[in-house]
Amino acid sequence: MIYIYVRHTVEDYARWKEGFDNHAGARQAAGATDEVYVMRNLDNPNEITVFLGWSDLDKARAFTQSASLKEAMKNAGITSPPEVSFWETVR
């Protein structure tokens, strides 16, 4: 399983979460699975970390460069450049 790791800071968690939820269809159309882990920093609740399951590494990489994602992030009030990396499960 492939995962996209994203970490960034937002202006307002509720605003970000609404935008994140509204973008679910675009993620799924681009190859996302139903595996989604959203975490908030306990010391800074506007710092968000997300792990998103993906079906294919090339599709995951393409999605992170998509205009759709850039627009969604802008509209969601992200205040820091996102830290993005790609992970796989190992045993």
Side-chain angles (χ1 to χ4, degrees):
M1 171 69 73
I2 302 298
Y3 291 91
I4 299 174
Y5 163 93
V6 181
R7 184 174 153 262
H8 48 63
T9 306
V10 299
E11 290 176 356
D12 174 69
Y13 176 78
R15 175 181 168 196
W16 173 85
K17 182 69 164 81
E18 180 180 357
F20 180 80
D21 291 345
N22 289 339
H23 202 240
R27 288 192 303 272
Q28 289 181 336
T33 69
D34 289 335
E35 259 188 290
V36 176
Y37 302 95
V38 175
M39 292 159 266
R40 293 172 76 180
N41 183 325
L42 292 173
D43 295 322
N44 178 3
N46 287 331
E47 181 182 323
I48 310 298
T49 297
V50 181
F51 275 94
L52 301 164
W54 225 264
S55 61
D56 176 88
L57 179 58
D58 291 334
K59 289 179 181 180
R61 288 186 191 278
F63 179 75
T64 63
Q65 300 302 312
S66 70
S68 170
L69 178 59
K70 289 176 183 162
E71 184 67 21
M73 290 179 128
K74 177 182 167 190
N75 293 336
I78 293 173
T79 60
S80 67
E83 177 185 334
V84 178
S85 56
F86 303 91
W87 298 70
E88 67 179 342
T89 53
V90 295
R91 296 175 200 238

